[in-house]
Amino acid sequence: MLAATAVVAAVLVAEPGLRSVSTGCAGTLSVGLIVLGVVRHRPGSASWPLLALMLAFWALSAVLVHVQGHISSLAVAAVWAGQAVATGVTVNAVVSGKRPVTRSLTAGLDLIIIATVTFLVGAQIVAAGTSESRNWTAVAVASVDVALLSMLVRFAVSRRALGPSNVLVLVASFLAIVYDLLSAVQGRRLALPGEPSQILAVVFMLLFGIAALHPSMARAFSADTFTQRRPPSTALLGLLPLVLVPSGVAWAADVTGSRNLPPWAIPAAGAIIAGLCLLRGSDGLRSSEYLAEHDPLTGLANRRGLDRAFDEAPRAGGLSLLLIDLDEFKQVNDTHGHNVGDALLLLLRDRLVRATGTSGLAARLGGDEFVVLTQPHLAPVVAERFLQSLREPAVVGDLVLRTGASVGTADATSDATLAELLTHADVAMYAAKAAGGGRALAFHPAMRAEVARRFTLSSQVRQLLGHETFDVGRLEIRYQPLVELHSGRVIGAEALVRWMHPEHGLLSPDAFLGLVNSNHLDTELDAVVLNDVLTQLAQWRDQGLPMLPVSVNLTRDSLEDARLADRVLAALAVLSLPTSVLHLEITEHDQLSTDSPAQHTLGVLDAAGVRVYLDDYGTGYTSLEYLHRFPIKVLKLDRSVVTPLDAGQVHLVGAVNAMAVALDLEILAEGIETPEQRDQLMSLGIRYGQGYLFSRPLTAAQYAQTALAVTDESVPFPRPAGESARR
C-alpha cells in the first residue's frame, strides 16, 4: 500500500487535474481503512476513531472545494472541525502517556523551554489578533504549525518504543502540518484545486489509513509507547527543534506580512530558549558524568569513579585500598531472588559507608565486591568496623539474613597504579577467604605463591571432575564410623571425600571444596562420591560383609535438580542395593528456596527408604523451617556445639534433645574427641555420635577390616519408622 501511495503521488505530480478529486477520495478511503483496522485489531484507545472523524471532515472539505471550485466558508468550517478533532486526538494521546511528575532540574528545564515556546506563539497570536492586519489568522495558524512541527520532531526523537504504525502516523502528521503551514502562509485554510500542496494532502490521508492496518496499531496510542524514552543524550537532541521555533515564527510573520511583535521580542525569545537548552544540556552532561562514575544500585563510586578518586587522592599521607568480598551472597540471590539480594546490598552499603566515615571513599566494583580508599592507619579500623557490623543480621522484609565478608588490604607505594593495588588487595582477600573468611588480611608478597597454588588447584579441580586425562590425581572416599555411644558399636558410616594429589599428597576437603564450589562443580562432585559409595557398598555385599548404611553429603546444587530422586533410585536398582543402605545428608548452610524441587525430591527418596540427615545442626539459617519442610530423621549436632560443653552448651544440647524427642527425631553428635564429652552427651540422652574418640576417617579396606568385621547388626540406626523416640 505504501508503494501504491507512491505511485498515486507520482501520477498526481504529472496530472494536476486529478489532485482535487484524489484528495476527497483519499480521505474517504482512509476513513474506511481505519474502521477496518479498528475492527480487526481492537485497539483500546479512542484516538483511532477520532482520527477517522478528523479525516472525514477533511475529506468533506476537499470534496466541497472540488465541487464548488473555490474555498467556501463551509469548506473552511469543515477544516476547522477536523483540526478541533485533531486537538482531541493529541489531548487523548497526552493523557494516555502521562507519566508521574518527576521533581528534577532536568524535568523543570524541559517544562520551562516548552512554556517559553508556547508563550512566544501565544504572544504572536494575541499581537496578530489585536492588530489591524487582515492576515492575522494566517500568521496565527502558521506560528502554531511551526511550534507543532518542533514538538512532533521532539517526540519522534525522544521515544524508543515506536512501532510501524506509530512511524506512519508521525510521518502523516508531519505532512499534514506542512500542508496546513503552506496553506496558512498563502492566507488560506485549504489548497485550491490543482495546487501542488494537494499531493501532500492525498499522501498524508492515505498514510493515516495504512497505519491503521498494521497490527502494531493496537498499541500505537498506549501508555507504554508514549512513556518509554530514549537515553537522555538522545532525548536531548529533541530540544534542538524548539530552538528553531523563534526563527520559524519570524519567517511566518514575514511571509504573511504581519510583523506585530516588537522587533526585539523574537530575538529575545530565541536567546532565552537557546540559553535554557544550554542549561539543559549542561545538566544532562552532569547527570551523564555522575552515572558514568557511580554504581546505579548503591550510588557508590564505580570503577571509573574509583579511578578518578585514586588519581586525585593526595599521596603525602599514604593511601590504602580495602577490597571486600561478601561471603555466600550468591546463595541469597539464588534462594530469595535478586530483589532481596539488591535490598541486602543497600543495607550493607550503609554499614560500609558508616565504617568508612568521611576520611575515605567507598566504591562498588560490581556483584558483591566493594572497595574502600582510605589512609593507611585507618585501613585496619575501617575493616574491623565493617566486619563487626556484619555480626548483626540484616532484616529484609520478613527475612533475617546473615552474611560475612573477606577483606584484603594493600598499601600504595608512591608509583603504584590502581590496577596493581587492586591486584595486591585481591591476593590478600583470597588469602582471607582461604583462612576461613570473616577476617581482614594485609597483602604480603609471600601470599602470591599461595594464590598461584590455589589458581593451579582450581584448574586441576576442573580437570579432575571433567574426567580429563591430565595427571591431577584421583578422588578417594574415607569412611568415618557412626557409633552407639553406650556400647561403641558401629551402626554406619559417613562418606568423606579426599583428593590424592600427585604433588601435594592427600588433600582434605577444606583444601579444595571451596574451589569446587567457585567453579560450580558441586553437582559433579556429588555424583562421583555417590557413585563410588554405591559401588563400594555392592562390593562389600558381594564379599559377604554386613550391609550397614553409609551417609553421603549432598550440596544445594544437587538438591535443586528435579531429576535427583530418579537417578539415585536408578543407581540403587542397577546395583541391586536396598534403599536402606543409603542415607543422605543436607546442611543448614545451603539455603533452599521455597519453590525448590528439593522438598519433593527428598520426600520421594524418604518414601522409598532413603533416610535424610540434617548436618551441621545448630550453625545454619532456618533450622525449624528445615525440620518442617524436609523429611528429616536425624539431626547431626555440629562439633562447634559439642566441643565446648560448658554449662550453657549443656542446657542448649538438652533443649535440642527435648525438641528432637517431641518431633520423633534422633540426634547424632559430631566431633566427639574425649570420653568426658561422650559421657556428658549420654547423660543428656544423646544415643549416637562420631569423632576421633572412636575413629578417624578410614579407607574402604580399613573400614571393612576394623568396623564391618566386628559389627553387631542388632543395633538399629536410624530407628525404624514408628518406633517411639521416648526413653
Side-chain angles (χ1 to χ4, degrees), residues 245-261:
V245 170
S247 299
V249 170
W251 169 80
D254 284 340
V255 171
T256 57
S258 302
R259 271 191 171 273
N260 307 116
L261 289 175

Side-chain angles (χ1 to χ4, degrees), residues 125-318:
I125 294 173
V126 171
T130 56
S131 69
E132 297 179 357
S133 172
R134 296 168 56 183
N135 294 332
W136 73 270
T137 303
V139 70
V141 172
S143 298
V144 171
D145 285 339
V146 167
L148 287 176
L149 283 174
S150 66
M151 296 292 185
L152 194 65
V153 174
R154 177 175 181 269
F155 176 84
V157 170
S158 61
R159 264 56 178 187
R160 63 180 176 86
L162 301 179
S165 182
N166 286 113
V167 173
L168 289 172
V169 168
L170 286 174
V171 173
S173 300
F174 185 86
L175 295 178
I177 296 172
V178 170
Y179 168 83
D180 192 63
L181 178 61
L182 293 176
S183 300
V185 296
Q186 294 176 13
R188 300 192 300 268
R189 297 302 299 121
L190 281 162
L192 291 171
E195 285 190 337
S197 58
Q198 285 189 322
I199 301 174
L200 289 178
V202 171
V203 173
F204 80 69
M205 287 183 180
L206 289 176
L207 288 180
F208 277 122
I210 296 171
L213 296 181
H214 195 275
S216 62
M217 66 87 72
R219 60 179 186 278
F221 293 95
S222 67
D224 289 343
T225 299
F226 286 87
T227 56
Q228 294 187 40
R229 300 192 174 219
R230 294 184 184 275
S233 57
T234 305
L236 182 61
L237 296 175
L239 292 175
L240 294 181
L242 299 178
V243 179
L244 302 177
V245 170
S247 299
V249 170
W251 169 80
D254 284 340
V255 171
T256 57
S258 302
R259 271 191 171 273
N260 307 116
L261 289 175
W264 54 266
I266 291 180
I272 292 173
I273 294 172
L276 290 172
C277 286
L278 286 175
L279 285 177
R280 172 66 172 80
S282 175
D283 179 66
L285 182 60
R286 285 196 301 270
S287 299
S288 297
E289 289 175 344
Y290 179 86
L291 292 175
E293 295 187 353
H294 289 79
D295 174 58
L297 173 64
T298 62
L300 300 177
N302 59 14
R303 177 58 186 266
R304 180 177 291 183
L306 182 65
D307 284 338
R308 186 170 64 82
F310 180 80
D311 292 339
E312 296 176 355
R315 298 292 197 274

